[in-house]
Structures are given as structure tokens and as C-alpha cells.
């Protein structure tokens, strides 16, 4: 495949994730950790990041150039790719909570519903809370957290460190460019991604992030000794991710 960077167990694709995912065989992935795009309201509380981000939301509710993909399109692929007994973490806000829970736990197509097929899909284990530390002004309480929906496919497998609390207090620190601006407005901290990855996979297993932004997940994988497949459709974000992953790889040498 072209437009792909590969180094030391990390493969980064500057491509629509659906095209990339379709090319992988069933049950080839050990863990999914991802922060999917979604539209949000141009007024009120974005839930995801708020603050400066609110000012960048256009009238279509778009933060990124590419955020029209829906959970209905990718959730069945996530299920097909994951091995039995593996975990899947989806980051989201309150606006998309119900949609994500409904879609991930019932993957039937319209046709299958008509035929009366029984519901099948991910098992919802629980929601974790990412306490970002900073508070964002809103109309209905200030926002200080995001949801991390924790699913499993098939049989139940414990996390590696059962002493981890379900509220994760990790400061919301963004990587800045030379101009002092955020390189990505919804970047997730590497420290947060490491907790999820180290609890739900073993060294050298394959972690997938189909919506990688500037690569919090692949960078965490390098630090944690996991392999990683990451996709990002936007060329600018993907270029930044490649640079950050390269410097992370050098730090490891
Ligand atoms: C919420 S952001 C993820 C940010 C990431 N967690 C980070 O730490 O940088 C979602 C990303 O998905 C990308 N995206 C949207 N549609 C996509 C698609 N079909 N395939 C791959 N990436 C896509 C967007 O460009 C955006 O960067």
C-alpha cells in the first residue's frame, strides 16, 4: 500500500481508514483504542474540548475537514478485525454517547433486523472517565471530563492492572507548533493512551487506531513496546504524526 510509513512495528496510513481496514483479515487485531471524529454543535457545550475549539466549529458542526464518517460505517469493521476476548476503547462526548452505545452493542444491518436476527455486537463493560483537569465554560455545568467507552468482543478478559481506577486524572496537555498553536485541537495525551494500551494488551501485540490525528496512540505504543496500525485521512495531521512518531522511535534507540 502506498502513502504508508512503516518503522519498528508501527504502520501509519494517510488514507481513509475504511479502505485500510477492509484490507486486513478477520481477527487480526489485539486491541482498538480510538477517538473518532463527530460533528458537534456550534453553540453551547461541545463536550469534547470546548474553549478555543468552540470558536473553530463551523456552521455544519465541523471541527476537522473530515468528520462525516459515522459509527455505523466503522463499528462492524472493528468487530470483524478484533480477536475473541479483546478490548475496544472509544472516546466520545455526551452528545454521541447513546448513538455509540447503541451502535456498538447491536451491529445488525437493516436487512438482518427485518429477518429477525438476534442482536449481536460488542459487550459494553463500562465507561471510564478522563478527568482533563481543566474546566470549560458551558450552559449546563462546566465540562471537565470525557467518556472512554470500554467494550469487549467475545469472552471476558481482565485488564492487566486491576488496581487502575475508572477515573483517569491526566492533564489535558496539547503539543504546540513553532507558532505556539495546538498541532491538533483534540489531541489525547500519550500518558492516557498508555494506561489503556498497557491494561488491555501484551508487549508486541497489535493495537489499531483508525482515527489517529497526530498519533497519541502510536506514540504510546512505541513507549509501551506494542505494534501499531494507525490511519489519518488528513495529510497535514498525518505528516505531523509521522514526524512525532519518528522522534519517539529515535528516543527509544
Ligand atoms: C478526534 S480526532 C483524533 C485525535 C487524536 N486522538 C490525537 O491524539 O491526535 C479524529 C481524527 O480522525 C480523522 N478522520 C476523520 N475521518 C477519517 C477517516 N475516514 N479515516 C481516517 N481518519 C479520519 C480526522 O482528520 C481527525 O484528525
Amino acid at each position: 500500500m502506498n502513502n504508508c510509513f512503516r518503522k519498528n512495528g508501527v504502520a501509519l496510513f494517510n488514507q481513509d481508514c475504511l479502505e485500510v481496514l477492509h484490507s486486513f483479515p478477520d481477527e487480526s487485531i489485539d486491541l482498538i483504542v480510538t477517538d473518532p471524529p463527530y460533528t458537534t454543535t456550534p453553540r453551547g457545550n461541545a463536550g469534547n474540548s470546548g474553549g478555543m475549539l468552540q470558536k473553530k466549529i463551523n456552521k455544519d458542526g465541523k471541527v476537522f475537514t473530515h468528520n462525516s464518517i459515522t459509527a455505523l460505517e466503522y463499528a462492524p469493521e472493528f468487530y470483524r478485525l478484533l480477536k475473541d476476548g479483546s478490548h475496544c476503547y472509544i472516546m466520545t462526548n455526551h452528545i454521541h454517547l447513546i448513538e455509540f452505545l447503541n451502535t456498538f452493542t447491536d451491529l445488525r444491518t437493516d436487512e438482518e433486523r427485518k429477518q429477525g436476527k438476534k442482536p449481536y455486537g460488542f459487550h459494553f463493560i463500562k465507561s471510564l472517565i478522563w478527568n482533563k483537569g481543566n474546566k470549560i465554560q458551558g450552559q449546563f455545568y462546566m465540562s471537565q471530563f470525557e467518556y472512554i467507552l470500554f467494550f469487549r468482543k467475545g469472552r471476558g478478559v481482565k485488564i492487566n492492572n486491576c488496581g487502575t481506577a475508572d477515573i483517569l486524572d491526566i492533564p489535558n496537555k496539547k503539543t504546540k507548533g513553532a507558532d505556539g498553536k495546538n498541532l491538533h485541537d483534540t489531541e489525547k495525551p500519550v500518558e492516557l493512551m498508555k494506561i489503556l494500551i498497557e491494561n488491555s494488551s501484551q508487549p508486541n501485540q497489535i493495537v489499531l487506531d483508525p482515527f489517529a490525528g497526530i498519533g497519541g496512540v502510536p506514540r504510546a505504543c512505541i513507549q509501551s513496546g506494542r505494534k501499531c496500525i494507525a490511519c489519518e485521512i488528513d495529510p497535514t495531521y498525518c505528516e505531523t504524526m509521522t514526524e512525532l512518531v519518528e522522534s519517539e522511535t529515535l528516543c527509544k534507540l
Side-chain angles (χ1 to χ4, degrees):
M1 229 175 274
N2 52 11
N3 46 30
C4 175
F5 164 94
R6 283 169 207 263
K7 204 172 200 175
N8 300 340
V10 175
L12 309 177
F13 294 90
N14 179 205
Q15 208 170 332
D16 183 333
C17 65
L18 290 179
E19 292 169 13
V20 179
L21 301 189
H22 289 330
S23 69
F24 294 130
D26 296 355
E27 311 219 336
S28 51
I29 300 292
D30 297 289
L31 168 67
I32 295 177
V33 179
T34 198
D35 175 26
Y38 39 75
T39 52
T40 188
T41 49
R43 278 155 55 91
N45 190 339
N48 196 3
S49 292
M52 287 305 288
L53 180 58
Q54 264 301 331
K55 299 190 180 78
K56 296 184 183 174
I57 298 168
N58 68 25
K59 62 179 173 7
D60 302 325
K62 280 191 162 199
V63 185
F64 312 110
T65 314
H66 303 277
N67 69 348
S68 53
I69 193 166
T70 65
L72 273 176
E73 294 172 83
Y74 54 78
E77 274 300 273
F78 287 12
Y79 194 78
R80 181 184 72 78
L81 290 171
L82 279 170
K83 294 178 185 167
D84 179 57
S86 52
H87 293 160
C88 175
Y89 294 95
I90 307 290
M91 310 200 72
T92 192
N93 64 4
H94 62 278
I95 296 166
H96 294 267
L97 187 58
I98 295 175
E99 174 202 334
F100 278 26
L101 287 175
N102 287 341
T103 306
F104 275 78
T105 54
D106 183 358
L107 297 169
R108 287 175 301 170
T109 59
D110 289 346
E111 197 52 40
E112 286 171 334
R113 279 167 214 267
K114 274 191 219 142
Q115 289 164 359
K117 187 167 176 165
K118 282 209 298 208
Y120 69 93
F122 286 95
H123 175 83
F124 175 53
I125 302 174
K126 70 190 306 190
S127 177
L128 310 183
I129 296 295
W130 170 34
N131 174 16
K132 302 192 271 191
N134 57 325
K135 298 184 185 70
I136 305 297
Q137 190 74 48
Q139 296 172 21
F140 308 107
Y141 299 90
M142 295 178 85
S143 286
Q144 193 177 343
F145 76 86
E146 281 185 35
Y147 295 99
I148 306 175
L149 306 180
F150 180 26
F151 298 99
R152 71 159 199 263
K153 175 180 171 180
R155 75 196 150 87
V157 173
K158 284 194 297 189
I159 58 168
N160 294 327
N161 178 1
C162 297
T164 313
D166 54 11
I167 298 183
L168 301 166
D169 299 316
I170 306 285
N172 185 13
K173 217 173 130 210
K174 306 258 189 275
T175 311
K176 307 277 182 197
D179 57 4
K181 292 186 180 155
N182 293 343
L183 290 176
H184 194 299
D185 284 316
T186 66
E187 179 189 7
K188 300 296 178 287
V190 172
E191 282 313 306
L192 178 68
M193 300 297 107
K194 269 176 76 176
I195 294 172
L196 309 179
I197 289 165
E198 291 180 4
N199 263 330
S200 291
S201 65
Q202 304 300 329
N204 286 318
Q205 285 192 324
I206 304 176
V207 180
L208 170 69
D209 182 356
F211 303 107
I214 57 168
V217 169
R219 284 180 278 148
C221 283
I222 293 167
Q223 291 186 16
S224 306
R226 270 64 169 175
K227 297 190 175 116
C228 185
I229 296 167
C231 313
E232 172 51 55
I233 199 167
D234 184 299
T236 309
Y237 290 149
C238 197
E239 201 181 313
T240 306
M241 166 162 67
T242 308
E243 283 164 15
L244 293 173
V245 162
E246 283 226 68
S247 50
E248 194 71 57
T249 314
L250 289 174
C251 291
K252 264 282 205 183
L253 292 177

